[in-house]
Amino acid sequence: MKLQDHYFTLSQKFGTSARVYLAEIAETLQCTPRHAKTIIKQLAEKEWIDWKPAPGRGNASSIRFRLSEQALQESQIKSLLQAGKTAQALKEMEKTPLEQAFLQQLQAQFLWTPEHVNHAKLDVLSYPYYFPVQTFNPHKALTRHEGHIISHLFNCLLSYNYENQTFELELLHRYEKKENGRVWRFFLRKGVYFHDGTKLTAETIKDNIELWKEISLNKWKQSMLAQIETITLDSSSMLTFRLTKPNHLFLHLFTDKKSSILPVSSYRKQEAEFDRFPIGTGPFKIAEHQTNYLKLEAFDRYFGYRPQLDQVELYRLPSGQLPIHNGIHYRVKQADTTETIIHDFPQTDRGGTYMVVNRQKPGLHTHQDFPKMLSYALDRQTLFSNHPYYKVWQPDGFFIRDGTPLRQTYRPDEARKWFKENGYVGKRFTLTSTCLSHNAHLGYEIGILQDALKEFGITLDTEIVDFNELLKPERMNQSDLIIAGITMAGDILASLVQTLSGEATFIYNTMPDEARTHTDLLVARTMASVSTQEAYTRLRELESYLLNHYHVIYLYERLTHVSIEADYRLQGIEVNSLNRLKYDKLWYTT
């Protein structure tokens, strides 16, 4: 019988406190008096009970039970996690519902077990996650958490650093641009292996491109792929692309996380399993993946610097809704932590929460001035100033962060007059919020918008619909208004083109036909740029067009402050664009 069970048996027998004889305890636990004495000693050492043995023979001792059943379970879970017994801790979590405060405490707690303490002589980071994982396939992933794990499992050929305006090589050793951008030669790193032992070759890259053509990628990427006229395999580590016309932005085809390189032959053999057990070239590989448990192990054959962190354990907390707060606070400690250091990372996301009017669906809402008047009716700064989950602000669009205020202003008198004169007062419209698989939706926002527009005589019938379900034309045609959000991590150019002109962000596919045509022209002009910097300038023109004509009603962007309280011996603390720890940078000093 477990010590925890002994505690429950005794507390049920004797209440919160009592005077008892050792023989009574032995009888209750159905053991010898000698073993009963050992159990009492163990309970007292854990500080679960207060035990005062009576002086002399034949006298009753006093016992007081310090923990409720809930508190004891929480104590047991913490002890198991600190001992690295994550599987046992998960079983304890499943027994009875846990208090919300305890779950919130666990959610922010990262436990570092260094090599000299761990029984397997490994440096291990363990932490909980709350949202279910649907896929680690880079072509399918939607959530931040999935994207964060994928960034440790896969590599792209290269990435683009927006802050430095430079390309950073990953699987590429170098590249050459010839014939004014019509011919590109790639030189791969040698000696790169996938987690299954497959070797990266030039043919691997060609296979990935063929795979991208088959799967349902965004319209921008498909147009880039269509420009590839020939792919020549010059050697096992060199290949040459000849395009149908010069393309100075061709490298951006390979920088997005959805362009992560995978072993296509292995993928085709086990496509159904790839969501749970993907195979990449990244610094970590998946060692174990169960419903509520994920284990990553450092990949010893990683072509870069092999991580000092040997293992990452993630365990999923029981279901229930935990709030996301204005700041993100992590604690990374170990059992003997005596001193911590605070690492602060003020972050400004690029992207935003926006609303669109579905002018592909017939109805009163398709009037060309209706979106503008909706925008006029929204005092965004006031409406979202007390957002319960985030600090927010209103920049002028999805990626400009130079302090320019949002051009879409609050003009309530004009809106009220227009709604009244054009017969909108008393009318009803459907507002739909997208929802990701882990119940991340905009329920708070739709309530705010519902109350705000009620002041103008407009009633909103609200609903929350799964993201992928809402993308279906027949389902989208049931919504007059849609509210959604986008976060651009990684290559902002690729993300922004997709955000403003792709069919998976509800902007392009809700615009009237003439606006689509103009958007297509602006995107084509952007993609004909002779440099990434020029492309951003032209993309800003596209964004301005959409904001000026209210094809996008911009609401807010999050201001995120990441604070990490870490053991002073933990080094290499960095966060990525998703506000998550970079596992491969962490190391520990004694």
Side-chain angles (χ1 to χ4, degrees):
M1 185 179 288
K2 296 179 182 179
L3 195 62
Q4 182 178 349
D5 296 327
H6 292 318
Y7 180 93
F8 289 144
T9 300
L10 293 175
S11 64
Q12 289 171 2
K13 172 72 174 180
F14 299 110
T16 56
S17 63
R19 295 187 63 80
V20 297
Y21 294 96
L22 191 61
E24 291 179 282
I25 292 175
E27 181 181 354
T28 302
L29 298 179
Q30 298 181 350
C31 66
T32 65
R34 182 177 179 180
H35 188 49
K37 197 171 184 179
T38 300
I39 292 172
I40 290 297
K41 182 180 178 182
Q42 291 173 343
L43 291 172
E45 287 175 348
K46 283 186 170 287
E47 298 183 347
W48 291 0
I49 65 169
D50 289 327
W51 173 257
K52 293 182 179 179
R57 286 179 170 273
N59 295 320
S61 300
S62 66
I63 187 170
R64 183 172 72 88
F65 297 90
R66 301 181 64 178
L67 303 179
S68 65
E69 182 174 345
Q70 182 76 36
L72 183 61
Q73 184 189 19
E74 292 174 2
S75 176
Q76 186 76 351
I77 290 169
K78 283 184 177 180
S79 296
L80 289 169
L81 290 173
Q82 288 175 351
K85 299 177 181 179
T86 308
Q88 289 177 247
L90 286 173
K91 289 181 180 179
E92 288 295 325
M93 291 182 198
E94 294 169 358
K95 286 184 178 179
T96 57
L98 296 169
E99 294 290 338
Q100 197 77 353
F102 178 67
L103 288 176
Q104 286 178 289
Q105 185 183 34
L106 281 183
Q107 186 189 36
Q109 183 69 61
F110 287 57
L111 181 67
W112 181 280
T113 308
E115 177 184 340
H116 69 274
V117 174
N118 184 276
H119 68 281
K121 302 301 180 185
L122 300 173
D123 282 318
V124 180
L125 179 68
S126 303
Y127 72 92
Y129 66 100
Y130 195 72
F131 303 126
V133 171
Q134 298 299 314
T135 181
F136 290 133
N137 185 332
H139 301 147
K140 300 179 183 178
L142 292 174
T143 71
R144 284 177 179 243
H145 182 62
E146 291 168 351
H148 172 55
I149 300 298
I150 284 170
S151 70
H152 290 87
L153 301 175
F154 291 91
N155 292 101
C156 297
L157 289 179
L158 71 173
S159 60
Y160 187 76
N161 188 316
Y162 179 77
E163 305 303 331
N164 298 333
Q165 302 282 293
T166 57
F167 287 100
E168 297 177 349
L169 303 177
E170 291 188 29
L171 295 176
L172 274 187
H173 172 63
R174 67 187 180 94
Y175 60 86
E176 294 176 351
K177 181 172 71 170
K178 299 182 176 182
E179 296 184 25
N180 194 33
R182 186 178 178 187
V183 174
W184 293 81
R185 174 169 284 185
F186 286 0
F187 300 82
L188 301 178
R189 294 186 187 276
K190 294 183 178 181
V192 176
Y193 290 88
F194 290 95
H195 301 152
D196 64 351
T198 304
K199 192 172 184 178
L200 176 75
T201 66
E203 189 171 3
T204 309
I205 307 305
K206 184 177 181 180
D207 290 342
N208 273 264
I209 290 172
E210 294 303 319
L211 178 64
W212 298 347
K213 291 178 180 178
E214 294 174 18
I215 60 182
S216 181
L217 294 174
N218 61 66
K219 184 174 63 175
W220 167 77
K221 184 166 283 189
Q222 290 291 3
S223 68
M224 294 277 277
L225 291 169
Q227 293 179 26
I228 300 175
E229 189 173 86
T230 61
I231 303 176
T232 303
L233 304 181
D234 303 306
S235 72
S236 62
S237 61
M238 289 190 296
L239 65 162
T240 301
F241 298 88
R242 174 167 286 275
L243 310 182
T244 56
K245 60 182 179 180
N247 185 344
H248 299 278
L249 304 180
F250 183 63
L251 291 179
H252 288 279
L253 175 63
F254 303 94
T255 57
D256 182 63
K257 284 303 174 186
K258 292 186 182 297
S259 301
S260 297
I261 302 301
L262 50 88
V264 175
S265 58
S266 300
Y267 171 79
R268 293 190 189 281
K269 289 176 185 176
Q270 53 179 356
E271 186 173 346
E273 279 293 293
F274 210 82
D275 288 348
R276 299 181 65 246
F277 294 97
I279 301 167
T281 56
F284 287 90
K285 63 181 181 179
I286 290 183
E288 188 175 347
H289 190 183
Q290 301 175 16
T291 303
N292 296 321
Y293 179 74
L294 176 68
K295 182 194 290 185
L296 307 181
E297 287 183 351
F299 181 38
D300 289 333
R301 299 181 77 176
Y302 180 54
F303 68 90
Y305 292 110
R306 192 266 195 199
Q308 292 296 99
L309 177 59
D310 298 301
Q311 199 173 92
V312 183
E313 284 188 317
L314 296 86
Y315 53 93
R316 186 183 170 197
L317 295 178
S319 59
Q321 185 60 48
L322 285 175
I324 301 171
H325 298 289
N326 289 339
I328 299 174
H329 182 73
Y330 299 130
R331 295 188 300 273
V332 188
K333 301 182 180 181
Q334 63 182 71
D336 68 345
T337 294
T338 58
E339 181 184 343
T340 60
I341 296 175
I342 303 295
H343 303 263
D344 286 313
F345 300 92
Q347 300 275 42
T348 300
D349 287 350
R350 283 187 169 84
T353 298
Y354 63 90
M355 183 168 64
V356 293
V357 177
N358 186 5
R359 286 190 272 183
Q360 288 292 317
K361 174 182 179 289
L364 193 61
H365 62 282
T366 59
H367 191 292
Q368 65 176 4
D369 290 331
F370 180 65
K372 178 169 68 174
M373 294 304 155
L374 275 184
S375 180
Y376 282 0
L378 300 177
D379 182 5
R380 297 158 176 81
Q381 289 189 343
T382 301
L383 292 175
F384 300 111
S385 61
N386 295 314
H387 200 295
Y389 305 143
Y390 323 110
K391 289 182 179 178
V392 305
W393 69 315
Q394 285 78 31
D396 191 40
F398 291 101
F399 79 107
I400 292 296
R401 297 295 179 262
D402 59 2
T404 303
L406 180 63
R407 70 189 67 192
Q408 295 177 339
T409 56
Y410 177 49
R411 302 180 187 180
D413 293 338
E414 287 185 54
R416 187 171 285 106
K417 179 182 178 183
W418 189 89
F419 287 141
K420 184 175 181 180
E421 290 178 350
N422 288 273
Y424 283 80
V425 175
K427 300 300 182 182
R428 307 181 77 94
F429 301 94
T430 300
L431 172 63
T432 304
S433 163
T434 59
C435 174
L436 295 177
S437 56
H438 58 266
N439 292 323
H441 53 70
L442 298 161
Y444 171 79
E445 285 77 2
I446 61 178
I448 289 291
L449 294 174
Q450 194 174 38
D451 291 342
L453 292 176
K454 189 176 182 180
E455 297 296 318
F456 293 83
I458 292 176
T459 300
L460 295 181
D461 298 318
T462 62
E463 59 180 356
I464 297 172
V465 178
D466 176 77
F467 180 90
N468 291 306
E469 180 66 21
L470 189 58
L471 283 176
K472 297 176 181 177
E474 63 273 16
R475 186 62 187 82
M476 193 180 302
N477 286 338
Q478 298 176 34
S479 301
D480 302 317
L481 314 172
I482 296 172
I483 181 172
I486 186 72
T487 297
M488 293 180 291
D491 188 340
I492 294 176
L493 177 63
S495 296
L496 194 57
V497 170
Q498 172 60 14
T499 296
L500 299 182
S501 64
E503 297 179 353
T505 57
F506 309 104
I507 296 175
Y508 185 86
N509 50 11
T510 58
M511 290 191 290
D513 292 341
E514 63 274 15
R516 287 186 180 183
T517 300
H518 191 67
T519 296
D520 289 340
L521 290 173
L522 291 175
V523 169
R525 183 168 178 265
T526 298
M527 300 317 296
S529 300
V530 297
S531 68
T532 298
Q533 290 75 17
E534 182 178 277
Y536 277 122
T537 300
R538 292 180 172 179
L539 202 54
R540 179 60 173 164
E541 294 173 6
L542 167 58
E543 185 177 53
S544 294
Y545 165 73
L546 297 176
L547 290 170
N548 290 339
H549 292 81
Y550 298 90
H551 298 306
V552 174
I553 301 173
Y554 195 92
L555 299 177
Y556 68 78
E557 178 52 287
R558 295 185 243 179
L559 289 170
T560 305
H561 185 149
V562 180
S563 177
I564 300 174
E565 179 187 358
D567 186 294
Y568 72 97
R569 293 162 291 189
L570 191 61
Q571 307 294 314
I573 294 176
E574 299 180 25
V575 297
N576 58 22
S577 59
L578 296 168
N579 299 326
R580 304 294 199 272
L581 272 172
K582 294 182 179 180
Y583 304 144
D584 55 316
K585 302 297 183 182
L586 295 172
W587 60 282
Y588 177 85
T589 179
T590 55

